[in-house]
Each structure stands twice: as C-alpha cells, then as structure tokens.
Amino acid sequence: MLECKSCGAGLDLTMSACAACGAEVELGRLTGILGMVCRACDSYNEPGARACAACGAALGDARPDRTPALDPPPVPASSPPAPGPPAPSPFSSSPFAPSKVASVAPASIVPPAVAGQPVLRAFQRGAAAATRVVPLVPSHATPGSLLPPAASAAPPPPLQVAPPRRAAPPAGPLVPGRATLILERGEGLDGARFQLGKEQVAAGRSHGAVIFPEDPCLAPHHATFFYRDGALHLRDEGAPGGTYLRLRGTSVPVRPGDLFALGDRLLRFAGPLPASPPGPPDGTRRLGAPRPPTPTVVIEEVLEGGIIGRVFVRGGGSVTIGRSGCAVNLGDDPYLSAAHAELVVDSAGAARLKDLGSSNGTYVRVTPRAERQLHDGDWLRLGREVLRVEVE
C-alpha cells in the first residue's frame, strides 16, 4: 500500500487524490488515463475500473506476498541495498497532452532496481498495454527491410564508357590535300606521311613526291595517285613488281597467272592441275604418283627476281594457306598468320581467294596499267612498302 507524501495516509493506485488531505496522487492520475494491470492475474483493465474484469480482485490492492513474474532475483544480504525509486516527475495538467504518452519510458529501459518495484512494474505493464509504438516505415520500403531499396540493393555497376571511335570521313567530293598516305612498314621510316596535295602525285624509287630510294623492288615511276570526279584513284604504271591492294572482308576470283601476297611471300595461282599428256603410241602409262581424285589446283611460290620456287599441288574444295597447320604451309614469317588465307575451288576448277582474318592482310595485284578507286582505310603495297590511305 502506498502512503501519501503529505499526510502519510494509506493510498491505492485507483485513487487520484488522498482521501485524508486531498493531495494529488500522481500514479493514480496515470492509471485513470492509461488503465491498470491486475496484481492477481496480470490482466489489463480499462481506466476507471475498480475490480479486475478477469478475476474480480480489487484493483490497487497491494499484494506483498506475490512477487511479479518479471521482477529480478532478490539481492543477496551481503550486497548493499539497492537505491529506492526516484521521485516521479510531474506531468502536464492536460491529461491528453501528447507529451504525457511520449514521456512514458518502455519497461526495457527502466533500471532493474526501479523495475523491481511492484507499483512501477504494474504501471509499466499498463502503459505498454495502452500505448502502441508504430515505427515509421518509408512507403517504398521492401518487405523484410526497413531500408529503402536504394540503401539495401547492390551498388549500380560502373558506367561503361565506349572507347573513342574515329569519325567517319565526311561525305562529299575529295579534293587535293584531303587524302594522305601513311607508311606502315617498308624501307622508309615507319609512320611517315605523304599528303596527296596535287591533282596527280607520282610514287616510285626516284620519280614523284612519294619516293623510297632504298627499295630495289620499286620502279623509278611505279604508280600514280590522282583525283577524279571527287574520288581518289590509283593507276599502276606497269612496273615489273606490280601494285597490290588489300582485300577488305570479301573474296575475289583468281585466274591462272594471278599474283597475291601474304606477309613477305608472293604466290602465283597456276590454275587447275593440267590433264596428263598423251603417252607413247604403244599405250604405256608414264610412272608417277597417283593423281588426286578431287579437283586439284597448282600454287607456285615466286622468289625475289621472278624465279619460281616451291610448287604446291593441292586437291579438295578448300586450300588453306598460312604459316602452319594449313594445306599450304609457308613456314616462318613474322607477318604471316597461322591460317592466313584460303582458296575455295569449285568442281570446274574455278577459284576464289579470301582472307581468313589475318593480322596483316592478303593483297591481290592490280592489273598492269589499270586504275582502281581508293577509299579511306585502304591498304596497298608498292614493292616492299605497305601504305595506308587516310582521308581527313
């Protein structure tokens, strides 16, 4: 049983004022607002109830012989006595002020020595039953998480920046000065640039503006570059070494006698294997290796100076050419890919040449004295020089 602080008269928790002196009972005012928990059965009762609705016991009646279930274990005799409960602070005069409910501390944060007092424990249970704390959750929070999706999701992948691309050459007619030849490799200085700034520019070993005096495979006037009808053209001047253009993602027909270059090797397509010559009149067959049963072509290696070196006789519809592992293996060459080019032969012996994605390309000879139109990115060979066309 509580005692009045003013006169010492006995009080119970259902009283809002002392019957003897009229002093206000603070906890009684709270139970009148929040309700009360029965000490006999721990049932919650609405504010103003005098008896427990569950067991009928009088509310506010002290039961010193019953220890609340949540009280801490008794303190040993050897320990110093726990301090008594602090005096409760006065509340606002308005029973509906929000600060009253907000100032009620949850039971989990009350010190053990205070939580063990029967009166405060009953008050805390009543406050917990009458007050519901609703956490504020963002409307966009996902189930199972109180964090917004942006906070719990994995960080976005880094921005992928595409590498810079070379701008396409502007459309429109080419005029002198807009095209340049860049030396990729050869007898000159790699990376040297030759601007084609005139209507016609000669190239060779000694004649014109594009000259390579150290290349013995170039004629004095080997080829001519010229502008016509808003485009750049090349004319072969009939030099013995010839002028070669690199294949660009397509195949071209090759006829017997056509020359093509791979790496530092020059090959000649000799055409289909010729028929056997007639034998002696008595019908005796000449001794030799068996002829291939499939369409067969002959490929010749041309050595510097125009001499024929190795001859390759190959059958089948596909004849691959490269450094190793092909039908025609040309051996070590730093500018040859393992599988560099392919000759596709049909049943009649006609062949087409295509590049197999080699690093340094496959070049086909331009017909002597013929003209060819050039575009930005074309590659060509004059003697030992490999040049690239660039249009500004």
Side-chain angles (χ1 to χ4, degrees):
M1 185 70 70
L2 295 179
E3 294 182 354
C4 178
K5 292 181 179 181
S6 298
C7 64
L11 302 173
D12 64 50
L13 293 180
T14 61
M15 300 172 62
S16 60
C18 177
C21 65
E24 182 180 13
V25 179
E26 295 171 354
L27 290 180
R29 286 182 56 82
L30 282 178
T31 58
I33 297 172
L34 303 177
M36 191 173 181
V37 175
C38 176
R39 289 183 172 276
C41 64
D42 288 338
S43 298
Y44 170 70
N45 293 269
E46 297 292 338
R50 295 292 179 177
C52 177
C55 65
L59 297 178
D61 183 19
R63 298 279 304 274
D65 57 333
R66 181 179 182 274
T67 302
L70 297 180
D71 287 349
V75 180
S78 59
S79 300
S89 57
F91 291 97
S92 168
S93 59
S94 172
F96 303 103
S99 59
K100 282 189 176 184
V101 178
S103 63
V104 178
S108 59
I109 63 173
V110 178
V114 177
Q117 302 300 321
V119 174
L120 291 183
R121 175 58 57 88
F123 160 70
Q124 291 160 5
R125 290 175 181 169
T131 305
R132 176 176 297 179
V133 180
V134 181
L136 296 179
V137 182
S139 60
H140 57 274
T142 56
S145 172
L146 296 183
L147 295 178
S152 59
L159 180 64
Q160 299 293 331
V161 180
R165 299 180 61 186
R166 182 174 179 269
L174 288 183
V175 295
R178 288 190 58 194
T180 303
L181 298 178
I182 302 174
L183 180 64
E184 296 294 336
R185 67 181 181 94
E187 298 300 318
L189 180 63
D190 291 355
R193 301 173 67 90
F194 303 89
Q195 188 172 23
L196 305 179
K198 297 181 179 180
E199 290 287 346
Q200 291 194 21
V201 178
R205 190 172 72 248
S206 60
H207 181 72
V210 182
I211 59 173
F212 301 94
E214 303 298 325
D215 190 347
C217 296
L218 281 177
H221 183 193
H222 200 98
T224 301
F225 299 90
F226 62 95
Y227 296 90
R228 185 176 65 199
D229 299 331
L232 179 65
H233 293 76
L234 165 72
R235 180 173 60 245
D236 179 85
E237 299 295 347
T243 303
Y244 298 80
L245 279 179
R246 182 174 179 172
L247 296 179
R248 297 188 69 170
T250 183
S251 63
V252 295
V254 288
R255 295 172 293 274
D258 284 350
L259 295 168
F260 56 97
L262 306 83
D264 280 335
R265 311 299 174 121
L266 182 62
L267 302 178
R268 177 179 178 269
F269 178 65
L273 183 67
S276 301
D282 60 4
T284 304
R285 179 174 294 185
R286 297 179 185 274
L287 182 64
R291 290 180 64 94
T294 58
T296 304
V297 295
V298 179
I299 302 169
E300 300 171 340
E301 183 179 26
V302 181
L303 305 180
E304 195 167 284
I307 303 173
I308 299 300
R310 292 174 291 179
V311 177
F312 304 91
V313 179
R314 297 293 184 266
S318 171
V319 180
T320 54
I321 308 169
R323 189 176 65 248
S324 61
C326 298
V328 176
N329 296 314
L330 300 176
D332 292 336
D333 185 329
Y335 301 104
L336 269 180
S337 296
H340 198 108
E342 179 186 24
L343 278 171
V344 180
V345 185
D346 62 19
S347 58
R352 297 185 67 88
L353 175 67
K354 68 176 182 179
D355 186 82
L356 295 178
S358 64
S359 300
N360 295 285
T362 301
Y363 295 78
V364 178
R365 183 177 181 177
V366 177
T367 304
R369 304 291 179 179
E371 297 177 355
R372 294 288 297 273
Q373 182 176 340
L374 299 178
H375 304 85
D376 179 68
D378 276 343
W379 293 55
L380 58 144
R381 291 190 62 167
L382 308 175
R384 296 175 179 173
E385 316 308 311
V386 177
L387 298 160
R388 176 170 54 87
V389 178
E390 182 179 279
V391 176
E392 298 179 356

